[in-house]
Amino acid sequence: MKVVVMGSDYRMREVYYRFASYVETILINETSDLHAIKGFDVLVLPVRAVDAQGNLCFPNTLVKSDEAFWKQAEKGMIFAGSRCPFLDQLDNQIYYYMEEEALKKQNAILTAEGILYYMIDHTATSIFALKVDIIGKGICGSAFGTLLRQLGIRHRYVRRAVQGEDEITIEAWKQSKAGDVVIITAPVEIIDEAWLYAQQHHPLLIDIASGKVVDAHTAGKLGFPYVKALGIPSIFAAKSAGKILFEWIWGKVHEE
């Protein structure tokens, strides 16, 4: 078996090292000659890796690919994070690992730990003295709330509909005093210009949601501390995240 791993971050490099311990594995980066790769059985891509034309998207570089590169994998398995129109039109077996519930739950725990780091790093008081508002109670919001509860840190969830004692509706929350830290986990535009101007104090805003859900320009103008925190597992827990992803892909490969 021959495996190619796109090493765009530390998590993917960890995946590469683990595969390389067992099978022939090639790591491709921004300077790789894609034409020098002669066939492969498995291609492992990071979360956001391929554009509409099939080019490989590294953090600061676009690496041009062509039909010849993708033809090498026409009978192989491709593992990617996010769904992509270019990949969808290929005849390969495509697995989108960010759609797997088991992986999402494991990565949510790592994300929660990374958010805690941001709280420690961006506040001037003990985290145990903070009040935290979590917008959204999906997989990541729930994981972070569980971590705060285990640590004894005061928190509440902000949701459209209240289902528990530790929750508050969006409308009620907008009329109340926000916590010292606001974690945005849901793709809803709540932290807008009106909300920002209405605040009497400036809570730390940590935004892990996909897309633009915070008016970052107004937040910066008014002096709100704001962190857009994407890809947390790859930053703070690359070894753990890489191990989780490798083990899942290894299991899929050997199911076939």
Side-chain angles (χ1 to χ4, degrees), residues 41-47 75-84 87-88 92-100 103 245 248-249 251-256:
D41 305 295
V42 177
L43 175 62
V44 184
L45 301 170
V47 175
K75 294 182 180 179
M77 304 169 72
I78 298 178
F79 295 88
S82 299
R83 199 163 278 279
C84 167
L87 295 178
D88 283 339
N92 301 73
Q93 292 173 284
I94 312 276
Y95 297 88
Y96 292 106
Y97 50 82
M98 291 305 292
E99 296 179 0
E100 293 292 323
L103 284 184
L245 182 54
W248 182 80
I249 294 174
K252 287 293 182 184
V253 168
H254 288 83
E255 280 180 2
E256 302 300 321

PDB file of all heavy atoms in Angstrom, residues 41-47 75-84 87-88 92-100 103 245 248-249 251-256:
ATOM      1  N   ASP A  41      -2.377   4.582  -3.347  1.00  0.00           N
ATOM      2  CA  ASP A  41      -3.612   3.871  -3.009  1.00  0.00           C
ATOM      3  C   ASP A  41      -4.516   4.682  -2.086  1.00  0.00           C
ATOM      4  O   ASP A  41      -5.730   4.512  -2.082  1.00  0.00           O
ATOM      5  CB  ASP A  41      -3.275   2.532  -2.331  1.00  0.00           C
ATOM      6  CG  ASP A  41      -2.352   1.684  -3.179  1.00  0.00           C
ATOM      7  OD1 ASP A  41      -2.777   1.278  -4.269  1.00  0.00           O
ATOM      8  OD2 ASP A  41      -1.199   1.458  -2.761  1.00  0.00           O
ATOM      9  N   VAL A  42      -3.903   5.531  -1.290  1.00  0.00           N
ATOM     10  CA  VAL A  42      -4.649   6.326  -0.316  1.00  0.00           C
ATOM     11  C   VAL A  42      -4.120   7.756  -0.348  1.00  0.00           C
ATOM     12  O   VAL A  42      -2.908   7.977  -0.318  1.00  0.00           O
ATOM     13  CB  VAL A  42      -4.513   5.750   1.115  1.00  0.00           C
ATOM     14  CG1 VAL A  42      -5.234   6.640   2.129  1.00  0.00           C
ATOM     15  CG2 VAL A  42      -5.040   4.329   1.187  1.00  0.00           C
ATOM     16  N   LEU A  43      -5.027   8.713  -0.401  1.00  0.00           N
ATOM     17  CA  LEU A  43      -4.676  10.135  -0.332  1.00  0.00           C
ATOM     18  C   LEU A  43      -5.377  10.732   0.876  1.00  0.00           C
ATOM     19  O   LEU A  43      -6.599  10.638   0.996  1.00  0.00           O
ATOM     20  CB  LEU A  43      -5.106  10.862  -1.605  1.00  0.00           C
ATOM     21  CG  LEU A  43      -4.914  12.387  -1.640  1.00  0.00           C
ATOM     22  CD1 LEU A  43      -3.437  12.755  -1.518  1.00  0.00           C
ATOM     23  CD2 LEU A  43      -5.505  12.980  -2.915  1.00  0.00           C
ATOM     24  N   VAL A  44      -4.589  11.334   1.762  1.00  0.00           N
ATOM     25  CA  VAL A  44      -5.140  11.934   2.980  1.00  0.00           C
ATOM     26  C   VAL A  44      -4.979  13.448   2.895  1.00  0.00           C
ATOM     27  O   VAL A  44      -3.860  13.963   2.787  1.00  0.00           O
ATOM     28  CB  VAL A  44      -4.442  11.398   4.250  1.00  0.00           C
ATOM     29  CG1 VAL A  44      -5.115  11.983   5.495  1.00  0.00           C
ATOM     30  CG2 VAL A  44      -4.487   9.877   4.288  1.00  0.00           C
ATOM     31  N   LEU A  45      -6.104  14.151   2.952  1.00  0.00           N
ATOM     32  CA  LEU A  45      -6.118  15.607   2.821  1.00  0.00           C
ATOM     33  C   LEU A  45      -6.569  16.262   4.117  1.00  0.00           C
ATOM     34  O   LEU A  45      -7.351  15.674   4.873  1.00  0.00           O
ATOM     35  CB  LEU A  45      -7.069  16.017   1.693  1.00  0.00           C
ATOM     36  CG  LEU A  45      -6.762  15.448   0.298  1.00  0.00           C
ATOM     37  CD1 LEU A  45      -7.914  15.744  -0.654  1.00  0.00           C
ATOM     38  CD2 LEU A  45      -5.463  16.030  -0.235  1.00  0.00           C
ATOM     39  N   PRO A  46      -6.120  17.473   4.389  1.00  0.00           N
ATOM     40  CA  PRO A  46      -6.593  18.206   5.574  1.00  0.00           C
ATOM     41  C   PRO A  46      -8.030  18.690   5.383  1.00  0.00           C
ATOM     42  O   PRO A  46      -8.676  18.393   4.375  1.00  0.00           O
ATOM     43  CB  PRO A  46      -5.611  19.363   5.703  1.00  0.00           C
ATOM     44  CG  PRO A  46      -5.113  19.572   4.316  1.00  0.00           C
ATOM     45  CD  PRO A  46      -5.103  18.223   3.661  1.00  0.00           C
ATOM     46  N   VAL A  47      -8.524  19.465   6.336  1.00  0.00           N
ATOM     47  CA  VAL A  47      -9.938  19.853   6.333  1.00  0.00           C
ATOM     48  C   VAL A  47     -10.301  20.645   5.090  1.00  0.00           C
ATOM     49  O   VAL A  47     -11.250  20.324   4.382  1.00  0.00           O
ATOM     50  CB  VAL A  47     -10.279  20.655   7.609  1.00  0.00           C
ATOM     51  CG1 VAL A  47     -11.711  21.152   7.551  1.00  0.00           C
ATOM     52  CG2 VAL A  47     -10.081  19.766   8.844  1.00  0.00           C
ATOM     53  N   LYS A  75      -8.322   4.789  -8.626  1.00  0.00           N
ATOM     54  CA  LYS A  75      -8.855   3.590  -7.986  1.00  0.00           C
ATOM     55  C   LYS A  75      -8.578   3.591  -6.480  1.00  0.00           C
ATOM     56  O   LYS A  75      -8.872   2.626  -5.792  1.00  0.00           O
ATOM     57  CB  LYS A  75      -8.248   2.338  -8.614  1.00  0.00           C
ATOM     58  CG  LYS A  75      -8.641   2.140 -10.072  1.00  0.00           C
ATOM     59  CD  LYS A  75      -8.059   0.853 -10.623  1.00  0.00           C
ATOM     60  CE  LYS A  75      -8.469   0.662 -12.084  1.00  0.00           C
ATOM     61  NZ  LYS A  75      -7.879  -0.593 -12.655  1.00  0.00           N
ATOM     62  N   GLY A  76      -8.024   4.700  -6.003  1.00  0.00           N
ATOM     63  CA  GLY A  76      -7.654   4.760  -4.602  1.00  0.00           C
ATOM     64  C   GLY A  76      -8.715   5.379  -3.713  1.00  0.00           C
ATOM     65  O   GLY A  76      -9.762   5.832  -4.172  1.00  0.00           O
ATOM     66  N   MET A  77      -8.437   5.400  -2.419  1.00  0.00           N
ATOM     67  CA  MET A  77      -9.326   5.980  -1.427  1.00  0.00           C
ATOM     68  C   MET A  77      -8.839   7.389  -1.095  1.00  0.00           C
ATOM     69  O   MET A  77      -7.632   7.617  -0.951  1.00  0.00           O
ATOM     70  CB  MET A  77      -9.348   5.119  -0.161  1.00  0.00           C
ATOM     71  CG  MET A  77      -9.725   3.666  -0.404  1.00  0.00           C
ATOM     72  SD  MET A  77      -9.424   2.615   1.044  1.00  0.00           S
ATOM     73  CE  MET A  77     -10.737   3.159   2.131  1.00  0.00           C
ATOM     74  N   ILE A  78      -9.766   8.325  -0.977  1.00  0.00           N
ATOM     75  CA  ILE A  78      -9.422   9.701  -0.634  1.00  0.00           C
ATOM     76  C   ILE A  78     -10.130  10.077   0.662  1.00  0.00           C
ATOM     77  O   ILE A  78     -11.336   9.889   0.795  1.00  0.00           O
ATOM     78  CB  ILE A  78      -9.822  10.677  -1.758  1.00  0.00           C
ATOM     79  CG1 ILE A  78      -9.058  10.358  -3.047  1.00  0.00           C
ATOM     80  CG2 ILE A  78      -9.549  12.127  -1.334  1.00  0.00           C
ATOM     81  CD1 ILE A  78      -9.431  11.231  -4.223  1.00  0.00           C
ATOM     82  N   PHE A  79      -9.354  10.594   1.588  1.00  0.00           N
ATOM     83  CA  PHE A  79      -9.894  11.047   2.871  1.00  0.00           C
ATOM     84  C   PHE A  79      -9.709  12.561   2.953  1.00  0.00           C
ATOM     85  O   PHE A  79      -8.595  13.073   2.834  1.00  0.00           O
ATOM     86  CB  PHE A  79      -9.165  10.366   4.033  1.00  0.00           C
ATOM     87  CG  PHE A  79      -9.387   8.885   4.087  1.00  0.00           C
ATOM     88  CD1 PHE A  79      -8.560   8.011   3.380  1.00  0.00           C
ATOM     89  CD2 PHE A  79     -10.434   8.357   4.824  1.00  0.00           C
ATOM     90  CE1 PHE A  79      -8.776   6.643   3.419  1.00  0.00           C
ATOM     91  CE2 PHE A  79     -10.654   6.991   4.870  1.00  0.00           C
ATOM     92  CZ  PHE A  79      -9.826   6.128   4.166  1.00  0.00           C
ATOM     93  N   ALA A  80     -10.804  13.266   3.141  1.00  0.00           N
ATOM     94  CA  ALA A  80     -10.764  14.725   3.209  1.00  0.00           C
ATOM     95  C   ALA A  80     -11.635  15.188   4.371  1.00  0.00           C
ATOM     96  O   ALA A  80     -12.499  14.446   4.850  1.00  0.00           O
ATOM     97  CB  ALA A  80     -11.249  15.332   1.896  1.00  0.00           C
ATOM     98  N   GLY A  81     -11.404  16.429   4.794  1.00  0.00           N
ATOM     99  CA  GLY A  81     -12.182  16.943   5.917  1.00  0.00           C
ATOM    100  C   GLY A  81     -13.547  17.436   5.500  1.00  0.00           C
ATOM    101  O   GLY A  81     -14.564  16.837   5.818  1.00  0.00           O
ATOM    102  N   SER A  82     -13.547  18.524   4.737  1.00  0.00           N
ATOM    103  CA  SER A  82     -14.806  19.146   4.339  1.00  0.00           C
ATOM    104  C   SER A  82     -15.217  18.707   2.943  1.00  0.00           C
ATOM    105  O   SER A  82     -14.374  18.475   2.067  1.00  0.00           O
ATOM    106  CB  SER A  82     -14.672  20.676   4.370  1.00  0.00           C
ATOM    107  OG  SER A  82     -14.376  21.118   5.673  1.00  0.00           O
ATOM    108  N   ARG A  83     -16.511  18.641   2.736  1.00  0.00           N
ATOM    109  CA  ARG A  83     -17.057  18.262   1.433  1.00  0.00           C
ATOM    110  C   ARG A  83     -16.625  19.277   0.372  1.00  0.00           C
ATOM    111  O   ARG A  83     -16.598  20.478   0.621  1.00  0.00           O
ATOM    112  CB  ARG A  83     -18.582  18.167   1.537  1.00  0.00           C
ATOM    113  CG  ARG A  83     -19.238  17.372   0.437  1.00  0.00           C
ATOM    114  CD  ARG A  83     -20.638  16.983   0.833  1.00  0.00           C
ATOM    115  NE  ARG A  83     -20.655  15.805   1.674  1.00  0.00           N
ATOM    116  CZ  ARG A  83     -20.562  14.561   1.191  1.00  0.00           C
ATOM    117  NH1 ARG A  83     -20.432  14.359  -0.098  1.00  0.00           N
ATOM    118  NH2 ARG A  83     -20.610  13.535   2.005  1.00  0.00           N
ATOM    119  N   CYS A  84     -16.319  18.770  -0.810  1.00  0.00           N
ATOM    120  CA  CYS A  84     -15.757  19.604  -1.867  1.00  0.00           C
ATOM    121  C   CYS A  84     -16.339  19.185  -3.215  1.00  0.00           C
ATOM    122  O   CYS A  84     -16.290  18.004  -3.562  1.00  0.00           O
ATOM    123  CB  CYS A  84     -14.233  19.450  -1.869  1.00  0.00           C
ATOM    124  SG  CYS A  84     -13.408  20.100  -3.324  1.00  0.00           S
ATOM    125  N   LEU A  87     -13.957  17.076  -5.442  1.00  0.00           N
ATOM    126  CA  LEU A  87     -13.790  15.687  -5.014  1.00  0.00           C
ATOM    127  C   LEU A  87     -15.057  14.869  -5.259  1.00  0.00           C
ATOM    128  O   LEU A  87     -14.994  13.697  -5.623  1.00  0.00           O
ATOM    129  CB  LEU A  87     -13.399  15.634  -3.532  1.00  0.00           C
ATOM    130  CG  LEU A  87     -12.045  16.242  -3.161  1.00  0.00           C
ATOM    131  CD1 LEU A  87     -11.819  16.157  -1.656  1.00  0.00           C
ATOM    132  CD2 LEU A  87     -10.904  15.561  -3.907  1.00  0.00           C
ATOM    133  N   ASP A  88     -16.204  15.500  -5.067  1.00  0.00           N
ATOM    134  CA  ASP A  88     -17.472  14.790  -5.249  1.00  0.00           C
ATOM    135  C   ASP A  88     -17.651  14.257  -6.661  1.00  0.00           C
ATOM    136  O   ASP A  88     -18.339  13.253  -6.866  1.00  0.00           O
ATOM    137  CB  ASP A  88     -18.650  15.708  -4.895  1.00  0.00           C
ATOM    138  CG  ASP A  88     -18.842  15.845  -3.395  1.00  0.00           C
ATOM    139  OD1 ASP A  88     -18.360  14.964  -2.652  1.00  0.00           O
ATOM    140  OD2 ASP A  88     -19.465  16.829  -2.960  1.00  0.00           O
ATOM    141  N   ASN A  92     -13.656   8.089  -7.195  1.00  0.00           N
ATOM    142  CA  ASN A  92     -13.008   7.429  -6.053  1.00  0.00           C
ATOM    143  C   ASN A  92     -13.962   7.193  -4.900  1.00  0.00           C
ATOM    144  O   ASN A  92     -15.039   7.782  -4.823  1.00  0.00           O
ATOM    145  CB  ASN A  92     -11.858   8.303  -5.541  1.00  0.00           C
ATOM    146  CG  ASN A  92     -10.815   8.565  -6.585  1.00  0.00           C
ATOM    147  OD1 ASN A  92     -11.045   9.324  -7.511  1.00  0.00           O
ATOM    148  ND2 ASN A  92      -9.660   7.939  -6.446  1.00  0.00           N
ATOM    149  N   GLN A  93     -13.510   6.337  -3.983  1.00  0.00           N
ATOM    150  CA  GLN A  93     -14.165   6.241  -2.691  1.00  0.00           C
ATOM    151  C   GLN A  93     -13.710   7.455  -1.877  1.00  0.00           C
ATOM    152  O   GLN A  93     -12.521   7.596  -1.583  1.00  0.00           O
ATOM    153  CB  GLN A  93     -13.755   4.962  -1.964  1.00  0.00           C
ATOM    154  CG  GLN A  93     -14.245   3.675  -2.596  1.00  0.00           C
ATOM    155  CD  GLN A  93     -13.626   2.475  -1.898  1.00  0.00           C
ATOM    156  OE1 GLN A  93     -12.462   2.144  -2.094  1.00  0.00           O
ATOM    157  NE2 GLN A  93     -14.412   1.828  -1.060  1.00  0.00           N
ATOM    158  N   ILE A  94     -14.632   8.335  -1.544  1.00  0.00           N
ATOM    159  CA  ILE A  94     -14.305   9.559  -0.806  1.00  0.00           C
ATOM    160  C   ILE A  94     -14.899   9.463   0.596  1.00  0.00           C
ATOM    161  O   ILE A  94     -16.080   9.148   0.759  1.00  0.00           O
ATOM    162  CB  ILE A  94     -14.873  10.814  -1.502  1.00  0.00           C
ATOM    163  CG1 ILE A  94     -14.538  10.813  -2.992  1.00  0.00           C
ATOM    164  CG2 ILE A  94     -14.365  12.064  -0.802  1.00  0.00           C
ATOM    165  CD1 ILE A  94     -13.218  11.323  -3.376  1.00  0.00           C
ATOM    166  N   TYR A  95     -14.081   9.731   1.593  1.00  0.00           N
ATOM    167  CA  TYR A  95     -14.540   9.751   2.975  1.00  0.00           C
ATOM    168  C   TYR A  95     -14.289  11.142   3.552  1.00  0.00           C
ATOM    169  O   TYR A  95     -13.148  11.619   3.538  1.00  0.00           O
ATOM    170  CB  TYR A  95     -13.783   8.709   3.811  1.00  0.00           C
ATOM    171  CG  TYR A  95     -14.010   7.285   3.378  1.00  0.00           C
ATOM    172  CD1 TYR A  95     -13.203   6.703   2.398  1.00  0.00           C
ATOM    173  CD2 TYR A  95     -15.018   6.512   3.947  1.00  0.00           C
ATOM    174  CE1 TYR A  95     -13.398   5.392   1.993  1.00  0.00           C
ATOM    175  CE2 TYR A  95     -15.225   5.198   3.554  1.00  0.00           C
ATOM    176  CZ  TYR A  95     -14.411   4.649   2.576  1.00  0.00           C
ATOM    177  OH  TYR A  95     -14.602   3.354   2.178  1.00  0.00           O
ATOM    178  N   TYR A  96     -15.338  11.774   4.043  1.00  0.00           N
ATOM    179  CA  TYR A  96     -15.210  13.097   4.664  1.00  0.00           C
ATOM    180  C   TYR A  96     -15.219  12.915   6.181  1.00  0.00           C
ATOM    181  O   TYR A  96     -16.269  12.721   6.798  1.00  0.00           O
ATOM    182  CB  TYR A  96     -16.351  14.006   4.206  1.00  0.00           C
ATOM    183  CG  TYR A  96     -16.280  14.363   2.744  1.00  0.00           C
ATOM    184  CD1 TYR A  96     -17.145  13.796   1.810  1.00  0.00           C
ATOM    185  CD2 TYR A  96     -15.320  15.270   2.280  1.00  0.00           C
ATOM    186  CE1 TYR A  96     -17.066  14.120   0.464  1.00  0.00           C
ATOM    187  CE2 TYR A  96     -15.241  15.602   0.927  1.00  0.00           C
ATOM    188  CZ  TYR A  96     -16.111  15.022   0.033  1.00  0.00           C
ATOM    189  OH  TYR A  96     -16.039  15.340  -1.303  1.00  0.00           O
ATOM    190  N   TYR A  97     -14.034  12.960   6.756  1.00  0.00           N
ATOM    191  CA  TYR A  97     -13.926  12.600   8.169  1.00  0.00           C
ATOM    192  C   TYR A  97     -14.572  13.613   9.102  1.00  0.00           C
ATOM    193  O   TYR A  97     -14.945  13.264  10.231  1.00  0.00           O
ATOM    194  CB  TYR A  97     -12.472  12.339   8.566  1.00  0.00           C
ATOM    195  CG  TYR A  97     -11.457  13.384   8.182  1.00  0.00           C
ATOM    196  CD1 TYR A  97     -11.277  14.533   8.948  1.00  0.00           C
ATOM    197  CD2 TYR A  97     -10.644  13.208   7.064  1.00  0.00           C
ATOM    198  CE1 TYR A  97     -10.327  15.477   8.608  1.00  0.00           C
ATOM    199  CE2 TYR A  97      -9.685  14.157   6.712  1.00  0.00           C
ATOM    200  CZ  TYR A  97      -9.533  15.285   7.489  1.00  0.00           C
ATOM    201  OH  TYR A  97      -8.599  16.224   7.155  1.00  0.00           O
ATOM    202  N   MET A  98     -14.765  14.866   8.673  1.00  0.00           N
ATOM    203  CA  MET A  98     -15.418  15.824   9.558  1.00  0.00           C
ATOM    204  C   MET A  98     -16.924  15.596   9.654  1.00  0.00           C
ATOM    205  O   MET A  98     -17.611  16.283  10.408  1.00  0.00           O
ATOM    206  CB  MET A  98     -15.142  17.256   9.075  1.00  0.00           C
ATOM    207  CG  MET A  98     -13.692  17.694   9.241  1.00  0.00           C
ATOM    208  SD  MET A  98     -13.062  17.522  10.918  1.00  0.00           S
ATOM    209  CE  MET A  98     -14.035  18.765  11.763  1.00  0.00           C
ATOM    210  N   GLU A  99     -17.434  14.641   8.896  1.00  0.00           N
ATOM    211  CA  GLU A  99     -18.853  14.286   8.981  1.00  0.00           C
ATOM    212  C   GLU A  99     -19.077  13.078   9.877  1.00  0.00           C
ATOM    213  O   GLU A  99     -20.215  12.668  10.096  1.00  0.00           O
ATOM    214  CB  GLU A  99     -19.407  14.024   7.580  1.00  0.00           C
ATOM    215  CG  GLU A  99     -19.383  15.249   6.681  1.00  0.00           C
ATOM    216  CD  GLU A  99     -19.914  14.974   5.283  1.00  0.00           C
ATOM    217  OE1 GLU A  99     -20.308  13.808   5.021  1.00  0.00           O
ATOM    218  OE2 GLU A  99     -19.937  15.909   4.466  1.00  0.00           O
ATOM    219  N   GLU A 100     -18.002  12.501  10.393  1.00  0.00           N
ATOM    220  CA  GLU A 100     -18.098  11.322  11.250  1.00  0.00           C
ATOM    221  C   GLU A 100     -18.340  11.743  12.705  1.00  0.00           C
ATOM    222  O   GLU A 100     -17.520  12.456  13.285  1.00  0.00           O
ATOM    223  CB  GLU A 100     -16.810  10.492  11.155  1.00  0.00           C
ATOM    224  CG  GLU A 100     -16.587   9.850   9.793  1.00  0.00           C
ATOM    225  CD  GLU A 100     -17.609   8.754   9.514  1.00  0.00           C
ATOM    226  OE1 GLU A 100     -17.972   8.023  10.451  1.00  0.00           O
ATOM    227  OE2 GLU A 100     -18.050   8.656   8.356  1.00  0.00           O
ATOM    228  N   LEU A 103     -15.527  11.004  15.305  1.00  0.00           N
ATOM    229  CA  LEU A 103     -14.375  11.898  15.188  1.00  0.00           C
ATOM    230  C   LEU A 103     -14.716  13.299  15.674  1.00  0.00           C
ATOM    231  O   LEU A 103     -13.903  13.964  16.323  1.00  0.00           O
ATOM    232  CB  LEU A 103     -13.901  11.953  13.746  1.00  0.00           C
ATOM    233  CG  LEU A 103     -13.101  10.755  13.216  1.00  0.00           C
ATOM    234  CD1 LEU A 103     -12.635  11.026  11.794  1.00  0.00           C
ATOM    235  CD2 LEU A 103     -11.909  10.458  14.097  1.00  0.00           C
ATOM    236  N   LEU A 245      -7.148  10.798  13.971  1.00  0.00           N
ATOM    237  CA  LEU A 245      -7.445  10.729  12.541  1.00  0.00           C
ATOM    238  C   LEU A 245      -6.776   9.522  11.901  1.00  0.00           C
ATOM    239  O   LEU A 245      -7.406   8.804  11.104  1.00  0.00           O
ATOM    240  CB  LEU A 245      -6.983  12.012  11.856  1.00  0.00           C
ATOM    241  CG  LEU A 245      -7.263  12.118  10.354  1.00  0.00           C
ATOM    242  CD1 LEU A 245      -8.744  11.895  10.048  1.00  0.00           C
ATOM    243  CD2 LEU A 245      -6.806  13.464   9.817  1.00  0.00           C
ATOM    244  N   TRP A 248      -8.612   6.249  12.733  1.00  0.00           N
ATOM    245  CA  TRP A 248      -9.882   6.117  12.015  1.00  0.00           C
ATOM    246  C   TRP A 248      -9.651   5.743  10.554  1.00  0.00           C
ATOM    247  O   TRP A 248     -10.299   4.851  10.015  1.00  0.00           O
ATOM    248  CB  TRP A 248     -10.675   7.414  12.127  1.00  0.00           C
ATOM    249  CG  TRP A 248     -12.021   7.338  11.461  1.00  0.00           C
ATOM    250  CD1 TRP A 248     -13.157   6.784  11.960  1.00  0.00           C
ATOM    251  CD2 TRP A 248     -12.339   7.823  10.149  1.00  0.00           C
ATOM    252  NE1 TRP A 248     -14.193   6.900  11.046  1.00  0.00           N
ATOM    253  CE2 TRP A 248     -13.712   7.526   9.936  1.00  0.00           C
ATOM    254  CE3 TRP A 248     -11.610   8.474   9.158  1.00  0.00           C
ATOM    255  CZ2 TRP A 248     -14.366   7.855   8.748  1.00  0.00           C
ATOM    256  CZ3 TRP A 248     -12.262   8.811   7.974  1.00  0.00           C
ATOM    257  CH2 TRP A 248     -13.619   8.499   7.780  1.00  0.00           C
ATOM    258  N   ILE A 249      -8.702   6.432   9.900  1.00  0.00           N
ATOM    259  CA  ILE A 249      -8.418   6.135   8.492  1.00  0.00           C
ATOM    260  C   ILE A 249      -7.833   4.709   8.353  1.00  0.00           C
ATOM    261  O   ILE A 249      -8.237   3.967   7.456  1.00  0.00           O
ATOM    262  CB  ILE A 249      -7.412   7.163   7.924  1.00  0.00           C
ATOM    263  CG1 ILE A 249      -8.048   8.554   7.877  1.00  0.00           C
ATOM    264  CG2 ILE A 249      -6.942   6.746   6.526  1.00  0.00           C
ATOM    265  CD1 ILE A 249      -7.083   9.651   7.455  1.00  0.00           C
ATOM    266  N   GLY A 251      -8.426   2.181  10.148  1.00  0.00           N
ATOM    267  CA  GLY A 251      -9.534   1.242  10.268  1.00  0.00           C
ATOM    268  C   GLY A 251     -10.361   1.167   8.987  1.00  0.00           C
ATOM    269  O   GLY A 251     -10.744   0.069   8.554  1.00  0.00           O
ATOM    270  N   LYS A 252     -10.610   2.312   8.358  1.00  0.00           N
ATOM    271  CA  LYS A 252     -11.362   2.330   7.108  1.00  0.00           C
ATOM    272  C   LYS A 252     -10.624   1.615   5.989  1.00  0.00           C
ATOM    273  O   LYS A 252     -11.219   0.866   5.200  1.00  0.00           O
ATOM    274  CB  LYS A 252     -11.666   3.772   6.695  1.00  0.00           C
ATOM    275  CG  LYS A 252     -12.723   4.472   7.535  1.00  0.00           C
ATOM    276  CD  LYS A 252     -14.095   3.833   7.333  1.00  0.00           C
ATOM    277  CE  LYS A 252     -15.162   4.546   8.124  1.00  0.00           C
ATOM    278  NZ  LYS A 252     -16.472   3.877   8.008  1.00  0.00           N
ATOM    279  N   VAL A 253      -9.325   1.863   5.904  1.00  0.00           N
ATOM    280  CA  VAL A 253      -8.519   1.236   4.858  1.00  0.00           C
ATOM    281  C   VAL A 253      -8.558  -0.290   4.975  1.00  0.00           C
ATOM    282  O   VAL A 253      -8.657  -1.010   3.982  1.00  0.00           O
ATOM    283  CB  VAL A 253      -7.060   1.748   4.922  1.00  0.00           C
ATOM    284  CG1 VAL A 253      -6.149   0.899   4.033  1.00  0.00           C
ATOM    285  CG2 VAL A 253      -7.001   3.204   4.501  1.00  0.00           C
ATOM    286  N   HIS A 254      -8.523  -0.773   6.207  1.00  0.00           N
ATOM    287  CA  HIS A 254      -8.484  -2.215   6.414  1.00  0.00           C
ATOM    288  C   HIS A 254      -9.857  -2.868   6.484  1.00  0.00           C
ATOM    289  O   HIS A 254      -9.963  -4.076   6.653  1.00  0.00           O
ATOM    290  CB  HIS A 254      -7.648  -2.537   7.659  1.00  0.00           C
ATOM    291  CG  HIS A 254      -6.182  -2.307   7.436  1.00  0.00           C
ATOM    292  ND1 HIS A 254      -5.599  -1.074   7.557  1.00  0.00           N
ATOM    293  CD2 HIS A 254      -5.194  -3.155   7.042  1.00  0.00           C
ATOM    294  CE1 HIS A 254      -4.300  -1.164   7.272  1.00  0.00           C
ATOM    295  NE2 HIS A 254      -4.039  -2.414   6.952  1.00  0.00           N
ATOM    296  N   GLU A 255     -10.896  -2.049   6.362  1.00  0.00           N
ATOM    297  CA  GLU A 255     -12.224  -2.621   6.194  1.00  0.00           C
ATOM    298  C   GLU A 255     -12.407  -3.138   4.776  1.00  0.00           C
ATOM    299  O   GLU A 255     -13.228  -4.009   4.506  1.00  0.00           O
ATOM    300  CB  GLU A 255     -13.309  -1.548   6.447  1.00  0.00           C
ATOM    301  CG  GLU A 255     -13.589  -1.289   7.900  1.00  0.00           C
ATOM    302  CD  GLU A 255     -14.657  -0.223   8.078  1.00  0.00           C
ATOM    303  OE1 GLU A 255     -15.185   0.256   7.042  1.00  0.00           O
ATOM    304  OE2 GLU A 255     -14.938   0.162   9.211  1.00  0.00           O
ATOM    305  N   GLU A 256     -11.686  -2.505   3.846  1.00  0.00           N
ATOM    306  CA  GLU A 256     -11.870  -2.812   2.425  1.00  0.00           C
ATOM    307  C   GLU A 256     -11.230  -4.151   2.054  1.00  0.00           C
ATOM    308  O   GLU A 256     -10.236  -4.539   2.616  1.00  0.00           O
ATOM    309  CB  GLU A 256     -11.272  -1.681   1.562  1.00  0.00           C
ATOM    310  CG  GLU A 256     -11.892  -0.328   1.853  1.00  0.00           C
ATOM    311  CD  GLU A 256     -13.382  -0.291   1.597  1.00  0.00           C
ATOM    312  OE1 GLU A 256     -13.813  -0.902   0.596  1.00  0.00           O
ATOM    313  OE2 GLU A 256     -14.093   0.341   2.375  1.00  0.00           O
TER     314      GLU A 256
END
